[in-house]
Amino acid sequence: MRILITGAAGFLGSHLTDALLAEGHSVVGIDNLCTGSLENLSHLTKEPRFEFREHDICQPFDFGRVDYVFNFASPASPQDYLRLGVETLDAGSTGTRNALEYAQKYQARFLHASTSECYGDPAVHPQTEDYWGNVNPVGPRSVYDEAKRFSEALVMAYHRYRKADTRIVRIFNTYGPRLKPSDGRVISNFLIQALRGEDITVYGDGSQSRSFCYVSDEIEGILRLSQSEVHSPINIGNPKEWTILDCAKAVLRITGSTSRIIHRPLPEDDPAQRKPDISRAKELLGWEPRIDLETGLKLCLEYFRKSLALPAVTDSVTLS
Ligand code: NAD
Ligand code: UDP
């Protein structure tokens, strides 16, 4: 197949590019580089089955006939989408619509990268796909949450009214090599702080939870969904739930670091808990993750060691 990936220079988009090339497909990667980096694709410069186009998906595009479109373009870390608020809303609305129109033109299949943020600060735990969520529509995170919820509505509307062949993956916190060291996400922040011997910055008391999926597991789940006929949203994430404080302690164990854990203010509207119910992914896709957090952290160490030469991480997010 000839496949187009939006957001190909990002963390997940670049891993997806590698996985699809490894399956023998040709890939057109498009990205406006607002949060991603060509460094993530630098190993593909001599790959004849890969082409890169610098482009903002908020402008209509046509890069020729394709069989599949994977729509991954959007700022994704809280630090990025709080800096790029309007751009994030644009990517999730106009950008997703342009990607859907492009897929429609060539009758291509379509997979959209959605997020556990659609559940907001969830009142149902663990989160099943039929839970509608608890989102503050005007809070600081709304630029991301509502963009992603609008995208889901748009994808379902193209499916229902225009017979588009679509899929939606709700991705839970995913980590691994190529996470941008400076984008403020928790695993990258903690690993870099630990490797540098700097204080580990736990926001709030650290009792809030997340469920962390290693990137190869996440990509495997996404590929299985892409090959399925499942059109309603599917959670793909690791159901093992960690408090952020326990996650910090795991990072200290794995790195052998003597860094101190310190506490910083909890960002506004920071969700208290997150854990995917993956029954549907197990049943419909035969998928479940294999790599636990400790193993995944070890797999990331070399990448983050190499990135130590880069500028210090941002250790706090100003949300209002
Ligand atoms: P990332 O920031 O590394 O990658 C996003 C990519 O999209 C970047 O390369 C960026 O430059 C590009 N982009 C943004 N706006 C664009 C635009 N208008 N036009 C073209 N390119 C644009 O983030 P990521 O973690 O790889 O996330 C990829 C996708 O997965 C996002 O849609 C995100 O919402 C979703 N997601 C990720 C996670 C996670 O834990 N990593 C969790 C839930 C959802
Ligand atoms: N967090 C933290 N210290 C950091 C970065 C993040 O305690 O240096 C917390 C953050 O407040 C949140 C969790 O870790 O509760 C996950 O944050 P991240 O930005 O990775 O993703 P989110 O799930 O909030 O989108």
Side-chain angles (χ1 to χ4, degrees), residues 138-166:
V138 294
R141 293 174 88 102
S142 64
V143 293
Y144 185 65
D145 299 6
E146 297 294 17
K148 288 290 183 179
R149 285 162 67 97
F150 180 77
S151 273
E152 286 199 3
L154 201 52
V155 172
M156 288 311 297
Y158 269 69
H159 179 64
R160 289 197 180 102
Y161 301 116
R162 302 194 176 177
K163 308 292 173 234
D165 191 359
T166 59

Side-chain angles (χ1 to χ4, degrees), residues 26-298:
S26 298
V27 175
V28 185
I30 75 173
D31 202 298
N32 71 351
L33 304 177
C34 69
T35 64
S37 164
L38 286 178
E39 186 59 33
N40 291 332
L41 300 169
S42 58
H43 56 293
L44 299 176
T45 45
K46 294 198 172 113
E47 171 55 68
R49 285 181 292 115
F50 178 70
E51 52 186 295
F52 178 76
R53 304 294 179 95
E54 189 169 336
H55 183 79
D56 183 338
I57 60 162
C58 299
Q59 303 303 322
F61 55 90
D62 184 349
F63 295 113
R65 178 168 295 284
V66 288
D67 305 289
Y68 218 121
V69 174
F70 287 79
N71 187 38
F72 277 63
S74 168
S77 90
Q79 185 176 294
D80 284 336
Y81 64 69
L82 293 170
R83 178 172 57 87
L84 299 167
V86 175
E87 290 84 348
T88 302
L89 283 159
D90 283 344
S93 51
T94 311
T96 296
R97 182 139 193 206
N98 286 336
L100 281 161
E101 282 293 324
Y102 175 59
Q104 281 292 85
K105 179 170 181 185
Y106 294 109
Q107 300 289 296
R109 284 181 276 169
F110 189 91
L111 184 144
H112 175 70
S114 191
T115 167
S116 57
E117 282 287 318
C118 288
Y119 301 121
D121 190 6
V124 167
H125 198 70
Q127 291 80 56
T128 49
E129 289 89 347
D130 53 11
Y131 175 51
W132 293 355
N134 177 34
V135 171
N136 177 351
V138 294
R141 293 174 88 102
S142 64
V143 293
Y144 185 65
D145 299 6
E146 297 294 17
K148 288 290 183 179
R149 285 162 67 97
F150 180 77
S151 273
E152 286 199 3
L154 201 52
V155 172
M156 288 311 297
Y158 269 69
H159 179 64
R160 289 197 180 102
Y161 301 116
R162 302 194 176 177
K163 308 292 173 234
D165 191 359
T166 59
R167 288 135 198 89
I168 296 173
V169 55
R170 289 196 183 135
I171 301 168
F172 283 65
N173 296 62
T174 302
Y175 67 100
R178 300 189 198 153
L179 258 181
K180 193 167 63 177
S182 60
D183 81 8
R185 286 187 260 197
V186 66
I187 298 286
S188 41
N189 267 12
F190 285 0
L191 276 173
I192 290 174
Q193 289 163 338
L195 290 171
R196 284 202 173 124
E198 294 169 355
D199 294 343
I200 307 260
T201 53
V202 168
Y203 301 160
D205 63 6
S207 63
Q208 73 272 32
S209 72
R210 293 295 186 273
S211 301
F212 299 106
C213 192
Y214 189 68
V215 62
S216 58
D217 280 336
E218 187 68 43
I219 295 293
E220 169 70 22
I222 290 169
L223 290 182
R224 287 199 190 195
L225 175 61
S226 73
Q227 290 151 11
S228 79
E229 294 303 323
V230 179
H231 302 293
S232 54
I234 292 278
N235 291 338
I236 298 286
N238 190 319
K240 170 81 173 82
E241 184 181 7
W242 288 78
T243 67
I244 295 303
L245 189 57
D246 284 342
C247 171
K249 290 176 184 166
V251 168
L252 288 177
R253 271 198 310 280
I254 298 300
T255 54
S257 168
T258 54
S259 289
R260 290 181 314 156
I261 291 177
I262 60 163
H263 293 269
R264 290 286 176 91
L266 189 67
E268 191 180 335
D269 289 347
D270 198 288
Q273 52 183 5
R274 279 289 167 70
K275 171 183 162 82
D277 180 317
I278 59 164
S279 311
R280 294 194 67 201
K282 276 188 192 167
E283 185 193 332
L284 299 174
L285 310 177
W287 176 86
E288 61 184 314
R290 286 177 287 198
I291 297 178
D292 62 27
L293 182 61
E294 285 93 341
T295 307
L297 289 173
K298 285 181 197 155

